[in-house]
Amino acid sequence: MDRQAITLSGGESQRLKLASILGSGLTGVLYILDEPTAGLHPKDTSGLISIMKQLRDLGNTVLVIEHDELVMHEADHLIDIGPGAGRKGGEVVGQGTAQELMQNPSSPTGTLLNQKHSLPARRRNGNGNYVTITNANANNLKNVTANIPLGTITSVTGVSGSGKSTLVFDVLAKNKGCEKIVGLDKVDHVIQVGQSPLTRMQRSNVATFMDLFTLLRTQFAAQPKAKELGLKTKDFSFNTAGGRCEQCEGLGQVDVNLSFLSDMKVTCPSCKGQRFQDHVLSVQFKEHSIADFLNLSVEQSITFF
Ligand SMILES: [Zn+2]
C-alpha cells in the first residue's frame, strides 16, 4: 500500500549514485542495490559491474538483487530464492558460487547459468566475516536462512515475486521479520540504493490515490485508545504535522548526513521508518498499527473492511 505510484527509472538513478559514491573512498559499507541493471543496455552492464567491483575492492560489501546473468556470473556469492513466486517462493533453493549453483539441480538459477559458460577465473572469498540472517519469515519467506560473505559481491537471485526484495529490504535492511541477524556489527554503515521515486511524488502513494487512507484514518481516530490519547483523524496522516514523525516529516526516510551522498536516503533513525510517533503507532485497528496498514497491499487492506 505504501508502494509509490510513480517511480523514476530505478536503474539510472542508482548508477548515478554509485558513480558518485565511488569517489568517496568510504570503506566498511554494506551497499544494498535493487536491480541496478534495470533498463540498462547489455553493453553497459560490464561498466556497472566494474563499479561494483571497485566498491568491493575498496573494502566494502555489495549485496545486489539481480536477474541479469552477467551480474550473477560475476558475483562472488549467489543466494537463489524461489522456486516460484508468491506462496510458491520464499525459500532459499541454492546458495554458493555460480559454479556451485550450476551443480545444484534444485536451483532454477543454476540451471539457467548452466546454459552459459563464461565464468570469472577467480572469486573473492571475502574477509572471513558474514552477515547471517536466521529464519526470516516476512511476507512469503519460509524460515529463510542466508549467509552474506562480507567483502564480496553477493547477488540475490530468483524469479520476480520469489521474495528477494523482502529478504534484502524488509528483513535485512530493517533488521526485523526474522529470528535474528548476526554480523551487522562487522559493517560500519548500511546504505540502501533503492529505486527511489521523484521527491515531489513521495507523498502520493497507491493508498492515498484510492482514498483508502482517508477511510483508514477515520477508523483509527474512532478507536478508544485514540480518543484516550486525544488523537484526531489528521494525526494519522503523514502529510501534515501532528502525529507523524517530524524528523522525517512522515516519509520514513531521511537524507543521509554525508555531503558526498547528498541525494541518498536512509531509514529515519527516529521512527525507524514507521513514519509516525510512538503514541500514534500504539493505536491499533484490527490488531494493526497505521504503519502496519501502510505496509500492506491495497488488496490485503481491503479485507479488513
Ligand atoms: Zn521518522
Side-chain angles (χ1 to χ4, degrees):
M1 213 161 103
D2 202 18
R3 192 171 302 153
Q4 304 297 332
I6 296 177
T7 58
L8 267 180
S9 157
E12 184 63 31
S13 57
Q14 287 190 75
R15 288 189 291 278
L16 286 172
K17 286 172 189 166
L18 278 184
S20 69
I21 289 167
L22 252 189
S24 71
L26 206 58
T27 68
V29 175
L30 171 58
Y31 289 103
I32 302 180
L33 310 178
D34 191 5
E35 296 192 45
T37 63
L40 195 64
H41 189 281
K43 74 176 166 54
D44 295 323
T45 302
S46 56
L48 176 71
I49 291 170
S50 158
I51 293 178
M52 294 196 285
K53 286 184 173 176
Q54 289 175 62
L55 283 172
R56 173 196 64 191
D57 295 343
L58 279 168
N60 301 300
T61 302
V62 180
L63 178 63
V64 54
I65 295 178
E66 195 52 84
H67 291 110
D68 186 89
E69 282 178 43
L70 195 55
V71 175
M72 290 193 269
H73 273 295
E74 295 288 337
D76 301 302
H77 187 77
L78 290 162
I79 299 170
D80 192 15
I81 313 268
R87 281 190 198 139
K88 292 178 183 139
E91 293 175 62
V92 172
V93 289
Q95 193 164 189
T97 62
Q99 200 79 51
E100 284 162 352
L101 235 54
M102 284 159 62
Q103 287 158 7
N104 178 351
S106 65
S107 164
T109 300
T111 307
L112 177 79
L113 291 174
N114 248 328
Q115 293 156 10
K116 307 270 165 80
H117 300 280
S118 59
L119 296 172
R122 155 176 117 82
R123 306 272 174 195
R124 298 293 193 284
N125 292 320
N127 60 19
N129 293 318
Y130 292 82
V131 168
T132 302
I133 305 166
T134 303
N135 287 332
N137 276 308
N139 289 339
N140 67 335
L141 297 179
K142 296 163 188 135
N143 294 317
V144 163
T145 294
N147 273 316
I148 298 147
L150 297 180
T152 65
I153 296 175
T154 293
S155 174
V156 180
T157 71
V159 299
S160 292
S162 61
K164 303 184 295 294
S165 296
T166 299
L167 182 67
V168 171
F169 287 99
D170 298 342
V171 177
L172 176 62
K174 291 181 184 165
N175 197 351
K176 64 181 196 184
C178 64
E179 191 183 309
K180 61 181 176 182
I181 299 179
V182 175
L184 280 175
D185 57 317
K186 300 290 193 296
V187 174
D188 297 331
H189 307 274
V190 176
I191 295 181
Q192 301 177 52
V193 188
Q195 305 201 346
S196 59
L198 281 167
T199 307
R200 67 189 164 81
M201 291 307 300
Q202 250 170 335
R203 289 173 195 284
S204 169
N205 55 35
V206 177
T208 50
F209 201 63
M210 297 186 65
D211 287 338
L212 189 58
F213 195 45
T214 308
L215 191 59
L216 263 178
R217 283 182 288 147
T218 310
Q219 291 289 351
F220 272 96
Q223 300 306 308
K225 182 83 181 279
K227 289 181 175 161
E228 184 190 316
L229 292 167
L231 294 171
K232 304 276 185 261
T233 307
K234 71 168 182 58
D235 295 316
F236 293 93
S237 169
F238 49 80
N239 287 323
T240 53
R244 72 179 182 188
C245 168
E246 279 308 313
Q247 181 160 350
C248 61
E249 297 185 324
L251 293 174
Q253 292 186 315
V254 290
D255 287 316
V256 76
N257 190 21
L258 297 166
S259 58
F260 50 84
L261 301 174
S262 57
D263 62 343
M264 298 199 51
K265 304 271 184 197
V266 295
T267 300
C268 173
S270 177
C271 64
K272 311 275 189 297
Q274 298 279 291
R275 310 170 70 158
F276 292 89
Q277 295 165 33
D278 284 344
H279 66 291
V280 176
L281 292 168
S282 75
V283 179
Q284 296 208 324
F285 167 56
K286 306 215 170 165
E287 297 178 352
H288 286 64
S289 72
I290 187 77
D292 293 335
F293 270 97
L294 287 170
N295 285 326
L296 296 177
S297 69
V298 171
E299 293 78 11
Q300 285 172 315
S301 53
I302 279 171
T303 64
F304 286 89
F305 293 97

